[in-house]
Amino acid sequence: MNYNSLNDQLNALLNTDDFLVNSAQFCAFVFDEIKELNWAGFYFYRDELLQLGSFQGKPACNPIAMGKGVCGTAAESRKSILVEDVHQFPGHIACDAASNSELVIPLIKQGKLIGIFDMDSPKLSRFTTEDKEGMEKICQSYLDKTKFLYF
Ligand code: SME
């Protein structure tokens, strides 16, 4: 995957600083461009919980407590988590039985936890360190472009 090209396209697509518009466009773009996904979307940190935001895929579990599942672990540690086989991750939260691998990127702006971006794949070991670094880069573009008035 050419994440530099994705980043350029994304910067053109995100032509507002509106939170809802940019979040919806971002997850639709990622889901469309990156192959072999069954879910891609946001959880935002509000009232000390991760609450479901814009996404593509099946309806998902909500809310997720800090420290729980892959999402809550990534949010709490503020570190990206790449899971080759979700069935081996202690405490993994299964929203869709089709998911086998997962990549979660924490979203931090000016030292504040905004939430996480989560991607699921039905394919085992779908995500590589190239995907992790590429997704960190494009999530940063989303954060830079977007105003978070409520966080
Ligand atoms: N699998 C995640 C839950 C969110 S869904 O995959 C959309 C987790 O373990 O945190």
Side-chain angles (χ1 to χ4, degrees):
M1 192 77 231
N2 183 343
Y3 281 95
N4 287 331
S5 161
L6 281 193
N7 199 44
D8 291 345
Q9 292 175 65
L10 189 71
N11 276 311
L13 180 67
L14 302 185
N15 62 355
T16 87
D17 63 9
D18 186 277
F19 161 70
L20 192 54
V21 175
N22 285 357
S23 307
Q25 294 279 51
F26 184 90
C27 66
F29 176 74
V30 166
F31 194 72
D32 192 46
E33 289 288 335
I34 299 181
K35 299 306 160 210
E36 302 168 314
L37 302 182
N38 60 320
W39 202 89
F42 293 93
Y43 282 86
F44 293 104
Y45 183 57
R46 291 202 323 270
D47 300 331
E48 296 175 24
L49 291 167
L50 292 173
Q51 311 225 28
L52 190 59
S54 304
F55 66 92
Q56 301 270 309
K58 288 193 177 169
C61 320
N62 182 71
I64 296 177
M66 289 295 277
K68 299 290 178 194
V70 187
C71 295
T73 305
E76 197 169 66
S77 65
R78 297 187 171 208
K79 290 209 164 64
S80 302
I81 303 183
L82 194 167
V83 185
E84 295 198 4
D85 179 355
V86 295
H87 309 290
Q88 304 300 321
F89 189 96
H92 166 256
I93 301 165
C95 299
D96 180 346
S99 299
N100 280 313
S101 60
E102 183 159 2
L103 176 59
V104 180
I105 312 290
L107 305 171
I108 315 289
K109 187 159 181 170
Q110 290 158 355
K112 273 173 69 181
L113 178 68
I114 299 292
I116 59 93
F117 189 74
D118 181 22
M119 298 158 80
D120 291 323
S121 174
K123 189 178 169 187
L124 283 167
S125 304
R126 162 65 186 80
F127 305 104
T128 62
T129 51
E130 187 208 340
D131 292 304
K132 178 171 99 63
E133 285 162 16
M135 285 306 302
E136 285 170 347
K137 185 181 168 93
I138 70 167
C139 284
Q140 188 60 52
S141 295
Y142 159 81
L143 286 167
D144 291 343
K145 288 250 173 183
T146 307
K147 271 194 188 152
F148 296 95
L149 300 175
Y150 312 110
F151 298 86

